[in-house]
Amino acid sequence: MHVNAPWWRSAVIYQIYIRSFADANGDGIGDIAGIRSRLPYLRDLGVDAVWITPWYPSPMADGGYDVADYLDIDPMFGTLSDADALIGDAHDHGLKVIIDIVPNHTSDRHVWFQAALAAGPGSPERDRYVFRTGRGADGELPPNDWRSTFGGAAWTRVPDGEWYLHLFAPEQPDLNWENPEVRAEFERVLAFWFDRGVDGFRIDVAHGLIKQDGLPDLGGEGEDVLEPSMRLDHPHWDRDGVHEIYRGWRRVADRYDGDRTFVAEAWVATPERLARYLRPDELQTAFNFDYLRASWDAANLRSVIDESLAAFALEDAPATWVLSNHDVVRHVTRYGRSDTGGRGPQGDVEEPVDLELGTRRARAAAMLMLALPGGAYVYQGEELGLPEVEDLPESALQDPVWERSGHTSRGRDGCRVPIPWSGDGEPYGFGPDGSTPWLPQPESWKGYSAEAEAGDPASMLELYRSALRLRHERAALGDGGLTWDDDAPEGVLRFTRAPGFACVVNLSGTPYQLSADAEVLLASGPLDGGLLPTDTAAWLAVSD
Ligand code: NOJ
Ligand code: CA
């Protein structure tokens, strides 16, 4: 246990996907004023912080992860003074604010990239990006065999014949992090926002940035669309050179008071590789995607939890836990199919989804996650139990993955549908009546609105509220350790945390008898006398 631990060691952080959270002006797109209007909801939910996805000026080729100006706000979302007001309001509500920083690539509309195109081969402007001549007799072939995460080649040719690298969409040219000007500029960007009062940054593609010298071929290894590579010594992911960059960023954060922090989005091959980002002079926290991808199976969950805790402990860093975000299939849907592992298929799936099963498991999964040591992330709408929207009409799809994959992957729009706040039909209070959300909302969402769920003891919203309240009340539910009960039957996860707390999750096929002296603090579903049914979790007050 860390005495006087900084907030980020055990915070529950609510992810706001800004386009889909709340639309104040009725143009169909979420905005800063919308977020401000919903801060009381977040305070009452009981989270400690918000992470807001990119709000910078952007042509939106990749939902804002194509940044044209890191020092401003897109007019679609508001203004810099709206951002200042939001940061102030959030602090007044007791909420910390984390914003997204996108260092691997800019938008192709960024002034730097426009200057690079204009200045031509060999220029200092081009050196801020990764331009190369092509292969083949006339340079007509890409410089190497790297693939874009969204499908297709990672290279695009410009009219003068050179090619530029983009590990994501062509509208997202990769920066050259060997160039000192790039490094200096991003430290300036961090300071700009720290000065405005943000409490931290979520670092997009933190495992990118540095590319192996000479840009060697991958060797024909076909990388699947959106699937992170699990290869060690990869030519463009998780290169050791990234760490020097984060040491510099840490020095910037440490100039400020108030426990400013970072969270790395790093898809890396092993938990030990992830821990390297968390060395004492680097980043404080990182997303734990192994947990997100773990299948709903007791032995598997336990080993992922143990491996995660061991790896984070290597650097005395807090563990983090996450089940959903704006890039993966919502977990109610993932858990409602036979294959519960991975980030979920973003294509045509033949197997129908059992939402009742998925929801039951999601309720238990939330209680497990919120009982584990360290911090946790809640993706907007998961507290309402929203399922993935898998039947968006093709004409509505906006994720670049849909086009780039040659229509083989529908992409990530199904987890990005604007969330329902109230009412019986579109826009469900997401925007003013009569407005049209940027993605269509299903008719079946009537029962999922925050208004419909509030006060209903059986709802997902009330489960999250109760769990988060208990998390604050119970001293055991912070940044301490856990002890597994090895006598629990196969398929039952049971652990204790001092003082006086136990969490039990039944993933076996048979009801599990809770001990008679345990006081049930919260359960994810109805108990059958003293029996904990399958796919149900309980929090207990126990004696140490
Ligand atoms: C990860 C973000 O979460 C995702 O939405 C985005 O497409 C890529 N990084 C590229 O920036
Ligand atoms: Ca709006």
Side-chain angles (χ1 to χ4, degrees):
M1 188 63 127
H2 294 75
V3 180
N4 294 328
W7 67 275
W8 43 262
R9 288 199 76 94
S10 58
V12 177
I13 301 177
Y14 186 94
Q15 180 189 351
I16 294 179
Y17 189 70
I18 184 167
R19 292 198 292 172
S20 304
F21 185 65
D23 169 24
N25 67 353
D27 64 355
I29 299 160
D31 44 48
I32 294 176
I35 300 175
R36 287 181 71 193
S37 74
R38 297 295 181 183
L39 288 173
Y41 169 85
L42 297 174
R43 179 200 53 209
D44 295 346
L45 179 60
V47 297
D48 304 297
V50 293
W51 147 36
I52 303 168
T53 55
W55 55 9
Y56 311 103
S58 165
M60 297 282 151
D62 181 25
Y65 285 94
D66 47 323
V67 179
D69 179 356
Y70 293 81
L71 303 177
D72 207 348
I73 298 286
D74 196 289
M76 180 194 295
F77 299 135
T79 62
L80 268 180
S81 44
D82 291 332
D84 291 340
L86 168 62
I87 295 165
D89 281 4
H91 289 162
D92 289 346
H93 284 84
L95 297 165
K96 307 278 189 189
V97 178
I98 290 178
I99 62 170
D100 228 301
I101 182 102
V102 187
N104 182 69
H105 43 266
T106 69
S107 162
D108 62 346
R109 310 309 304 171
H110 192 284
V111 286
W112 275 6
F113 194 72
Q114 291 298 308
L117 291 179
S123 60
E125 287 85 354
R126 264 193 195 187
D127 188 56
R128 296 179 183 132
Y129 293 90
V130 185
F131 279 86
R132 293 288 185 279
T133 49
R135 294 200 278 211
D138 298 310
E140 73 283 10
L141 299 172
N144 69 20
D145 68 354
W146 294 1
R147 313 285 300 164
S148 154
T149 306
F150 295 159
W155 296 92
T156 290
R157 200 171 192 195
V158 299
D160 57 47
E162 280 205 326
W163 298 74
Y164 69 90
L165 177 69
H166 51 86
L167 293 178
F168 294 89
E171 295 86 354
Q172 294 166 297
D174 277 50
L175 285 163
N176 170 21
W177 276 87
E178 309 296 347
N179 184 324
E181 208 186 337
V182 171
R183 295 191 184 222
E185 177 64 9
F186 271 84
E187 294 194 3
R188 194 168 79 91
V189 170
L190 296 177
F192 174 87
W193 291 102
F194 279 141
D195 284 338
R196 302 190 98 88
V198 306
D199 300 285
F201 290 89
R202 175 260 189 197
I203 306 171
D204 187 64
V205 200
H207 58 306
L209 283 62
I210 295 290
K211 281 83 190 178
Q212 189 173 348
D213 276 351
L215 311 184
D217 275 344
L218 273 164
E221 176 196 337
E223 298 205 3
D224 292 331
V225 171
L226 288 178
E227 272 308 321
S229 168
M230 288 298 109
R231 165 173 160 189
L232 286 163
D233 197 20
H234 191 284
H236 61 71
W237 297 137
D238 194 25
R239 306 292 309 166
D240 286 344
V242 298
H243 297 288
E244 195 48 42
I245 297 169
Y246 300 133
R247 286 188 194 103
W249 288 24
R250 179 60 177 264
R251 285 193 292 271
V252 175
D254 285 349
R255 300 205 304 255
Y256 292 84
D257 60 5
D259 292 325
R260 313 293 174 111
T261 195
F262 295 102
V263 53
E265 187 224 12
W267 298 84
V268 299
T270 65
E272 291 72 28
R273 292 295 300 180
L274 190 61
R276 293 166 62 86
Y277 291 76
L278 305 174
R279 288 176 285 193
D281 58 347
E282 296 190 41
L283 308 174
Q284 295 88 343
T285 64
F287 291 108
N288 181 357
F289 294 124
D290 288 346
Y291 185 70
L292 184 152
R293 287 179 289 189
S295 58
W296 185 245
D297 166 88
N300 183 40
L301 280 168
R302 178 168 167 172
S303 70
V304 170
I305 291 168
D306 281 341
E307 282 165 24
S308 304
L309 289 172
F312 287 109
L314 288 175
E315 303 299 342
D316 193 28
T320 66
W321 313 98
V322 59
L323 292 167
S324 278
N325 63 33
H326 64 293
D327 291 328
V328 305
V329 173
R330 283 189 178 273
H331 61 272
V332 161
T333 298
R334 295 203 315 268
Y335 290 159
R337 290 214 167 88
S338 49
D339 180 3
T340 51
R343 47 199 273 160
Q346 274 134 341
D348 292 328
V349 193
E350 307 230 322
E351 184 188 352
V353 59
D354 180 343
L355 284 184
E356 198 194 313
L357 175 67
T359 303
R360 190 161 64 240
R361 290 173 169 170
R363 294 174 65 88
M367 284 186 60
L368 172 59
M369 171 173 87
L370 294 172
L372 292 171
Y377 286 83
V378 173
Y379 174 49
Q380 65 180 37
E382 89 173 55
E383 82 280 18
L384 303 173
L386 294 184
E388 183 84 358
V389 181
E390 296 188 296
D391 58 356
L392 285 169
E394 290 178 0
S395 59
L397 297 179
Q398 304 212 11
D399 186 349
V401 168
W402 171 240
E403 290 301 329
R404 297 276 308 164
S405 71
H407 298 184
T408 58
S409 169
R410 292 170 62 87
R412 303 159 292 177
D413 290 320
C415 64
R416 299 174 174 180
V417 174
I419 63 172
W421 292 96
S422 58
D424 290 346
E426 203 169 84
Y428 293 106
F430 165 70
D433 283 351
S435 61
T436 307
W438 69 278
L439 283 173
Q441 298 164 304
E443 285 175 22
S444 57
W445 275 14
K446 191 173 145 192
Y448 284 104
S449 76
E451 180 187 62
E453 293 193 17
D456 173 0
S459 71
M460 190 72 91
L461 178 59
E462 292 301 338
L463 179 75
Y464 270 76
R465 284 180 175 167
S466 301
L468 291 168
R469 192 181 55 247
L470 282 165
R471 213 179 130 98
H472 282 286
E473 284 168 13
R474 295 263 145 189
L477 293 179
D479 170 40
L482 62 72
T483 307
W484 292 104
D485 175 358
D486 288 320
D487 295 332
E490 200 180 323
V492 173
L493 294 174
R494 184 179 191 284
F495 60 82
T496 54
R497 298 187 62 193
F501 177 87
C503 174
V504 195
V505 192
N506 186 2
L507 295 97
S508 78
T510 33
Y512 170 71
Q513 179 70 54
L514 297 173
S515 54
D517 57 346
E519 178 203 342
V520 178
L521 300 168
L522 184 66
S524 68
L527 301 184
D528 182 5
L531 292 175
L532 185 70
T534 299
D535 291 328
T536 308
W539 287 0
L540 311 170
V542 295
S543 47
D544 289 324

